[in-house]
Amino acid sequence: MANLTGSSLRSHFLCNSSNFATTVLSLFACCRKRQDLRALNALLIVNGLIEHQSSIRQFITNCCHLGFPDLALSSFKTVKNPSLSLQNLFLRSLCDNGLFGNVLSVYEMCRNSGSFSDNYTYPFVIKACSALSDTGCGESMHCLVIRDGFGENLVVQTSLVDFYSKVGEMGNARKLVDEISQPDVVTWNALISGFSFNSLDDEVFRVFHKMRYMAMRPTTSTFASLFRVCSKLGALDFGKSLHGLAYKLGYAMGESLVPALISTYANSGEILAARNIFDA
């Protein structure tokens, strides 16, 4: 792609619309960097292929797979009736790259064009509402989820639990979990993380004990939230018990838990124990 310029390609290929479109499609596999995609986008515009739907869809797909969805924002607007898979791919990539404002605008555009949504679509949009602390938008999405028949989908429900937790509405988050017939560990983790995030420390421990009562196996995310609370409260005895359980389950030296473990012991005055964990 180093020599990908309009002049060199025109001199090398036939420039009628059909043949040139086929040629451009063959170039997508060569794209590896941001500048490659920029050059290809310019090529599409200069040669009038911005309305060529298969080329544009492929360009958007490549931008998403390479982690540069922002380069495809203007191109996506030209897609007539984007498929559900393309919509979800684009929303996911925008979400993964922290372009949350664009997630909402792209979703609204798709919705207005008559595109459908599914249980993969909603979590990306709800996550964007969480990241932007947009309570009104999140509540509207909750209504849409129920209206569209996804109110009992566990993945969507969990994303709503996380949303209400992030905007400080723990009553709604807890109510949602209580309404789920079979919440999984991800749902419980979202609730525990929410209570921890909102400094409702007693509730963190209550939810954890309920998880254990239900024979739910905690994960590294569960322990990370619990150790943060133990560290803040200086609850060394409970922290040691958790450390033992984490070790028993094979999580004790997990990369995400080590900083929380060190903090728990250090904040309780157990500097030697904290140093031993660090050295290990």
Side-chain angles (χ1 to χ4, degrees), residues 102-123:
N102 294 125
V103 170
L104 298 186
S105 61
V106 167
Y107 172 74
E108 184 179 4
M109 182 185 73
C110 291
R111 190 89 185 177
N112 291 338
S113 70
S115 296
F116 293 103
S117 301
D118 64 5
N119 57 300
Y120 295 101
T121 312
Y122 293 114

Side-chain angles (χ1 to χ4, degrees), residues 91 94-104 122-139 141 159-168 197:
L91 290 174
L94 289 169
C95 210
D96 288 346
N97 285 274
L99 301 173
F100 300 114
N102 294 125
V103 170
L104 298 186
Y122 293 114
F124 302 134
V125 184
I126 294 168
K127 182 178 179 179
C129 295
S130 300
L132 297 171
S133 298
D134 193 334
T135 305
C137 182
E139 290 174 344
M141 289 304 302
S159 67
L160 284 168
V161 171
D162 184 67
F163 160 72
Y164 283 117
S165 298
K166 293 290 174 55
V167 298
F197 180 77

Side-chain angles (χ1 to χ4, degrees), residues 184-190 192 208 211-212 216-227 242 245-246 249-251 256-257:
D184 63 7
V185 68
V186 179
T187 307
W188 287 114
N189 284 346
I192 287 175
F208 174 67
M211 279 183 65
R212 298 299 291 158
M216 192 75 66
R217 180 187 173 98
T219 66
T220 54
S221 296
T222 316
F223 285 113
S225 294
L226 291 165
F227 283 130
L242 287 173
L245 179 59
L249 295 176
Y251 298 142
S256 62
L257 287 186

Side-chain angles (χ1 to χ4, degrees), residues 138-204:
E139 290 174 344
S140 296
M141 289 304 302
H142 193 174
C143 293
L144 278 176
V145 162
I146 295 172
R147 192 188 75 181
D148 291 350
F150 292 93
E152 296 184 3
N153 180 275
L154 185 57
V155 176
V156 177
Q157 288 172 317
T158 301
S159 67
L160 284 168
V161 171
D162 184 67
F163 160 72
Y164 283 117
S165 298
K166 293 290 174 55
V167 298
E169 296 189 12
M170 290 309 303
N172 285 333
R174 184 63 205 240
K175 182 180 178 182
L176 265 172
V177 175
D178 290 340
E179 291 174 351
I180 299 173
S181 58
Q182 291 184 311
D184 63 7
V185 68
V186 179
T187 307
W188 287 114
N189 284 346
L191 188 61
I192 287 175
S193 177
F195 281 129
S196 175
F197 180 77
N198 289 280
S199 298
L200 298 170
D201 303 321
D202 290 341
E203 292 300 323
V204 171

